[in-house]
Amino acid sequence: MRLAIVLLCARFLCAQSSVASTDELLSLTGRLRAAMAAGDWKTAAGLSTTLKDAVREARDRSFSVSNAEQIGSVLSWLPENTETILVAQQPFTVVQEKRQTPIDAASLARQYIMNVLDPLQEEHALRSLDGITLRYAVLAGRNFKNHLTGDSGALPLGMIAFEGCGVYAFASAIPDNMFSQPPNVAILGQYSWSVRHQLDEQPSDAPLIYDTFFAAKIKPDILLACNDEDFFSSVISQLSTAPHTSRFEALPEWKQTGTAAAVWGLRHFNPASATTDPTYPIDKTLDKADSGAIGIVVQVGAPPGTIRARFLSTSKDNPLDEIAKLSEFRDAVTMRRPSEGVFELSVNDRGNAGYAAIFAIMSMLGFAVLL
């Protein structure tokens, strides 16, 4: 993963329980001007930092109010066979991994959401996003399966094969110079960028694997990026339709989804893919697809410091038992059954437990294989 993400949380934001009002911002501005006029540059520097952080926090809270409605529209663009959605609903800033300090669980989860943008940057169609603020981001996935193996049977490392589309809302209009080349393809009348990218970490004895990635500025401040042309076209075709409720809101998983979390997601299992999808739930006693599996919901950061997964199933046995036994969790995991047919796992997000929990829930969502 080439990008790491950090939530916009500066000293003022972390120290304050509410957003600064307009009067408070004006007061800070006045104090800053007075300090500068008096030549008190040390005080001015501190006030400047506080004012910057306060303005950014006010902006982010403003974004958050409108994000929920806009994310609802994004979900309505997705085709019916979309299986998984992963949503970062709070503003965050993209930070290059080489500059990244140790990251929290929400930041780690956002790396997966940014995955389909990486090849566009590596192939120099999209310039570096380092330092760019996004209001929200959504990754949708379907058709999860293993990559081709080499003669030895070894699988490529990293994320498994899937068809995915990401929608990225920028804090301001996307500048033309964000792209290092002009659009090279038109799909359904939408000027788009297309790049061919070699899969990273391929087995040495396997044929080279390439994917084609597509991107389009579908609104002045919204970028669509996909690793599958059909998925890309499906979303493009829905952009002009009248607003409507997404099918996700009718799923049983939706009632369990913590949409107040910094990052949340859900997956509605597709039984038709049980024989080809290595992440599809397996009945441990019969070693076959679990006919009771319905879906899973995840939330990161709600409640604070917690990574939570809820598995919906008609099975009597807890499908999360094996995951709860991961050595990294030790005393950091709790299990409960909040209602009939719902199994919940909560993990403290600190240290190794947090890293292991993020990988485990991404596996359950379909993006990785938990061995």
Side-chain angles (χ1 to χ4, degrees):
M1 201 74 63
R2 297 298 187 272
L3 297 175
I5 314 301
V6 290
L7 185 65
L8 285 171
C9 180
R11 285 174 292 175
F12 181 88
L13 166 60
C14 296
Q16 303 293 325
S17 59
S18 59
V19 182
S21 66
T22 300
D23 287 343
E24 289 170 327
L25 293 175
L26 290 174
S27 175
L28 279 171
T29 302
R31 290 165 57 194
L32 173 61
R33 288 174 174 169
M36 293 173 65
D40 186 353
W41 300 111
K42 181 178 180 180
T43 298
L47 287 170
S48 177
T49 298
T50 300
L51 179 61
K52 177 182 177 182
D53 293 343
V55 170
R56 183 167 55 183
E57 164 65 353
R59 178 202 64 185
D60 292 350
R61 289 295 180 91
S62 176
F63 284 159
S64 295
V65 171
S66 61
N67 280 356
E69 180 179 353
Q70 293 187 32
I71 290 169
S73 296
V74 170
L75 299 185
S76 72
W77 300 339
L78 302 175
E80 289 293 312
N81 61 352
T82 302
E83 187 171 347
T84 291
I85 53 174
L86 185 59
V87 180
Q89 67 173 5
Q90 296 176 359
F92 61 95
T93 295
V94 180
V95 178
Q96 291 289 358
E97 187 173 346
K98 63 184 179 181
R99 296 199 299 107
Q100 179 67 11
T101 57
I103 59 177
D104 59 30
S107 300
L108 189 60
R110 293 187 191 99
Q111 291 187 10
Y112 285 83
I113 300 177
M114 302 295 288
N115 174 265
V116 293
L117 289 178
D118 289 345
L120 292 160
Q121 295 179 90
E122 293 170 21
E123 301 300 333
H124 308 294
L126 184 66
R127 297 190 188 278
S128 172
L129 296 176
D130 187 33
I132 294 294
T133 297
L134 297 180
R135 291 185 289 117
Y136 65 82
V138 179
L139 177 64
R142 67 184 186 187
N143 294 339
F144 300 97
K145 58 186 178 181
N146 281 326
H147 290 288
L148 296 176
T149 64
D151 294 337
S152 64
L155 286 167
L157 299 176
M159 296 177 74
I160 69 172
F162 71 99
E163 296 174 4
C165 274
V167 177
Y168 307 94
F170 287 60
S172 56
I174 303 172
D176 291 337
N177 65 5
M178 181 65 69
F179 301 91
S180 56
Q181 55 184 310
N184 58 356
V185 63
I187 298 178
L188 298 182
Q190 173 72 57
Y191 290 114
S192 308
W193 288 262
S194 171
V195 300
R196 192 166 180 257
H197 180 71
Q198 181 179 317
L199 179 69
D200 296 330
E201 307 294 344
Q202 301 193 40
S204 59
D205 59 348
L208 291 178
I209 302 171
Y210 290 88
D211 287 319
T212 302
F213 289 76
F214 301 87
K217 188 165 65 172
I218 56 176
K219 292 187 177 181
D221 60 345
I222 296 182
L223 180 69
L224 171 68
C226 305
N227 64 8
D228 178 78
E229 185 173 359
D230 180 67
F231 206 161
F232 184 78
S233 299
S234 295
V235 175
I236 294 294
S237 69
Q238 292 298 310
L239 297 179
S240 59
T241 59
H244 60 280
T245 301
S246 73
R247 75 173 187 90
F248 299 99
E249 297 178 52
L251 295 175
E253 294 89 343
W254 189 263
K255 296 179 181 179
Q256 304 292 333
T257 301
T259 55
V263 179
W264 61 270
L266 68 81
R267 179 183 185 183
H268 188 69
F269 295 119
N270 177 15
S273 64
T275 59
T276 58
D277 182 354
T279 69
Y280 195 91
I282 298 296
D283 186 313
K284 295 186 291 291
T285 59
L286 301 177
D287 195 26
K288 68 175 184 179
D290 184 355
S291 60
I294 298 171
I296 188 168
V297 300
V298 301
Q299 59 188 52
V300 181
T306 302
I307 300 166
R308 177 173 292 172
R310 284 187 172 181
F311 198 109
L312 281 66
S313 176
T314 59
S315 299
K316 294 182 179 180
D317 295 331
N318 189 339
L320 299 174
D321 275 343
E322 293 301 314
I323 291 177
K325 295 176 184 177
L326 289 175
S327 60
E328 291 87 351
F329 291 167
R330 297 181 182 175
D331 298 327
V333 64
T334 59
M335 301 279 285
R336 71 186 188 105
R337 194 168 182 177
S339 60
E340 186 66 26
V342 180
F343 303 86
E344 181 183 280
L345 175 148
S346 295
V347 180
N348 187 303
D349 71 2
R350 291 193 294 271
N352 290 336
Y355 283 93
I358 291 297
F359 185 77
I361 67 172
M362 292 304 160
S363 173
M364 291 185 282
L365 288 173
F367 298 116
V369 177
L370 186 63
L371 300 177

